[in-house]
Amino acid sequence: GFNLALRLAEMPWSEGRGPEILMVDPKDRFVFTPLLVDYAITGDVALDEFAPRYEELLQTSSRERGFIPGAGQAELEHLQARVTKINWRRRVATIQGAGGEEQLLNFDVLVISPGLLVSGGSGLEIPDSVGSSVMRFASLEDAEQLRQRLDDNMAPISAVAVVGAGYVGAEVAASLAELPREQRRPDEVTLFGTKLLAGSEPQNRERTA
């Protein structure tokens, strides 16, 4: 969605004036998800290196568009909220801000671009009774939680079970197992899944195993 908004803003709109482009996202950062594991477990990347704030990205984009020949002057903004309802007939979207306040947003064209869809993501309910011993790993908030848990000197981790043997699960398990001992590497890391790296090439599965 963000990259699409940037490309739209750079188009040579007629008369040099582009439309108003509004990105609606409840997050305040653009997260490059492939680096979540490096941030949460190994610490190889800093937060701003893979999850910069939208505000900073838009400022940089605005400056760079000034050097693109023929680029239009489209207004590109980020609204930290989520869409709760769409009236297609009237072309009106209802959006809800972080504080729960609602407002109506008129549009000419609406693009739905949710990005990565996690199977069972929001529907996976984790009971409060398990505390921090069970956690998801699909978002920046999840990565922050895992990072804090690994850094908790008062509750060292001796064993970790990673459920899900896809690319993310395999990388999480491998990164935990390869941690230096001084970085509180768990004594045991077990990866659970019906098939390792399902859908990938056989040679990739063999190398990972």
Side-chain angles (χ1 to χ4, degrees):
F2 179 65
N3 287 322
L4 173 61
L6 291 181
R7 299 292 83 78
L8 287 172
E10 294 171 359
M11 290 181 64
W13 297 98
S14 61
E15 300 180 0
R17 187 69 181 177
E20 178 184 3
I21 304 171
L22 184 62
M23 299 184 299
V24 181
D25 193 319
K27 303 184 297 296
D28 64 337
R29 293 177 179 271
F30 176 74
V31 181
F32 185 63
T33 52
L35 292 180
L36 277 177
V37 175
D38 297 301
Y39 173 71
I41 299 176
T42 64
D44 289 341
V45 296
L47 178 61
D48 289 335
E49 291 178 327
F50 83 103
R53 296 187 182 278
Y54 278 116
E55 180 182 3
E56 298 172 357
L57 288 173
L58 293 181
Q59 290 176 353
T60 302
S61 171
S62 179
R63 290 194 299 268
E64 291 178 347
R65 286 203 304 275
F67 297 99
I68 300 177
Q73 297 298 317
E75 296 182 18
L76 180 55
E77 299 180 28
H78 167 244
L79 181 61
Q80 191 171 350
R82 66 176 66 250
V83 176
T84 59
K85 188 187 303 181
I86 301 173
N87 188 322
W88 295 102
R89 184 183 299 275
R90 297 184 177 180
R91 294 185 179 180
V92 175
T94 302
I95 58 176
Q96 186 178 63
E101 69 283 359
E102 289 190 344
Q103 67 181 90
L104 299 180
L105 178 66
N106 296 300
F107 61 85
D108 295 311
V109 177
L110 177 66
V111 178
I112 300 177
S113 181
L116 176 67
L117 294 177
V118 181
S119 177
S122 59
L124 179 62
E125 296 296 332
I126 299 178
D128 295 335
S129 58
V130 301
S132 62
S133 60
V134 179
M135 60 189 70
R136 302 182 186 88
F137 193 83
S139 66
L140 178 58
E141 291 74 19
D142 298 337
E144 292 282 10
Q145 184 181 7
L146 177 57
R147 184 184 177 108
Q148 293 172 8
R149 183 64 182 86
L150 292 172
D151 290 340
D152 188 356
N153 293 321
M154 301 301 294
I157 300 175
S158 60
V160 175
V162 180
V163 180
Y167 285 101
V168 175
E171 187 175 1
V172 168
S175 297
L176 287 170
E178 293 172 358
L179 278 175
R181 177 62 64 182
E182 59 271 18
Q183 292 188 24
R184 295 176 292 284
R185 182 182 67 202
D187 296 326
E188 181 181 347
V189 179
T190 307
L191 178 64
F192 292 90
T194 55
K195 187 175 183 180
L196 180 63
L197 300 184
S200 67
E201 296 293 330
Q203 55 267 30
N204 290 340
R205 291 198 297 270
E206 293 174 4
R207 282 199 299 267
T208 304

